[in-house]
Amino acid sequence: MSTTIAKDQPGEGRLEHAQSDHPPIARAKVGVVLVNLGTPDNTDYGSMRRYLSEFLSDQRVVDYARWKWQPILQLIVLTRRPFLSGQAYKSIWNTEKDESPLLTITRAQTEKFAAQMQSLYGDEVVVDFCMRYGNPSTESVLTRLMENGCERILFFPLYPQYGSPTTATANDQAFRALMKMKWQPAIRTVPAYFEHPGYLRALATSVTDVYEPLSERPSKLVASYHGVPERFLHEGDPYHCQCQKTTRLLREKLGWEKGSIDTAFQSKFGPEKWLGPATVDHVAELARQGHKHIAVISPAFTADCVETLEEIEDEIRESFIAAGGETFTYIPCLNDRDDHIEALVDIANNELGGWVLPVSSTA
């Protein structure tokens, strides 16, 4: 690394030729931060209101003029929605650890990811995770890594498909944190990786793993992605196209015929026209068309969360059954599957090129 230090103790020291009263400097390292959407701290009204206020105040998520949107949000939306969202979170809450499943899973992903990076790079790479909304916050994690000597940081949003309300806002938050630092680390952001062979392989394997023991094979697989307003597509956001391509690449990886996997979008919010078809309506239509056994997968989510464990497993399942469907199979997100972690490590290794070498390469 570029900074030379005279060690006083492991991992810390004084800059070479520095005066004796110079502040200690941590040994230069590379940081990798895995980033997910976010989570409330609890399911009570106050926790949910704080979380939803932060989330829905983000102009990457709701990009209406603030003077128009904030009164509606603070005086109308946030009077009732925290109760409804709190009930949804309560139904899936990890009571043993007193946290949301997203936080539990992201921590497990990070631990497995860190173990693999440790075997490759030893102590040269430090791994952590943060949330765009809620805790652990992006600013706190980036600050901690910088204080621990990470002069270079790879910022890794866990969104296979690029979207301005997901990837872009995560990156925005990282750059805001850097604006407050006297000494900024060099930073790289990981681009969309929906075409990465390891990701597609893990996604396809997750399907076959669920299908194999089923007595009745689903006649249709629905790939349900988080929705965005349709105008985002016309304003240059590539999310819709990347979702459609993900579905096609998954089908080809599975070796299935055309028409075997449908693309749909969930979690509509507000009065605008959103990308369609809406998953909740599409599964009902499939049932009416005679598809009695279907499966649903969520390729845009890397960890199960309220949108998958509650929305898909409750609202969307109910819509299918109410329309005459019989068997509804949800295929879990990739979560901390070993093949998923291996794909993430491979992506990170590629993005770390020129910054750090594996231990075996430096022997």
Side-chain angles (χ1 to χ4, degrees), residues 23-37:
I25 301 293
R27 182 171 61 84
K29 296 179 286 291
V30 173
V32 179
V33 184
L34 303 182
V35 191
N36 221 317
L37 179 72

Side-chain angles (χ1 to χ4, degrees), residues 3-6 8 12-26 183:
T3 303
T4 302
I5 61 174
D8 290 329
E12 189 176 275
R14 294 175 292 101
L15 287 169
E16 192 172 34
H17 309 304
Q19 295 180 353
S20 60
D21 62 348
H22 194 285
I25 301 293
W183 182 0

Side-chain angles (χ1 to χ4, degrees), residues 117-130:
M117 297 300 280
Q118 170 74 23
S119 67
L120 288 170
Y121 300 106
D123 296 331
E124 295 300 309
V125 172
V126 180
V127 176
D128 210 332
F129 75 94
C130 70

Side-chain angles (χ1 to χ4, degrees), residues 258-293:
K258 291 182 178 179
S260 56
I261 309 179
D262 291 351
T263 298
F265 298 88
Q266 64 184 87
S267 308
K268 182 181 184 298
F269 175 80
E272 280 193 83
K273 183 179 180 181
W274 278 41
L275 296 176
T279 307
V280 67
D281 299 326
H282 186 65
V283 297
E285 181 60 28
L286 288 175
R288 288 190 287 267
Q289 292 174 0
H291 292 278
K292 301 301 181 183
H293 311 281

Side-chain angles (χ1 to χ4, degrees), residues 16 143 147 157 165 171 180-181 189 191 195 200 203 224 238 258 284:
E16 192 172 34
T143 300
E147 290 173 348
N171 292 339
K180 300 179 181 180
M181 295 182 181
T189 61
E195 296 177 287
L200 291 169
L203 201 61
S224 181
K258 291 182 178 179

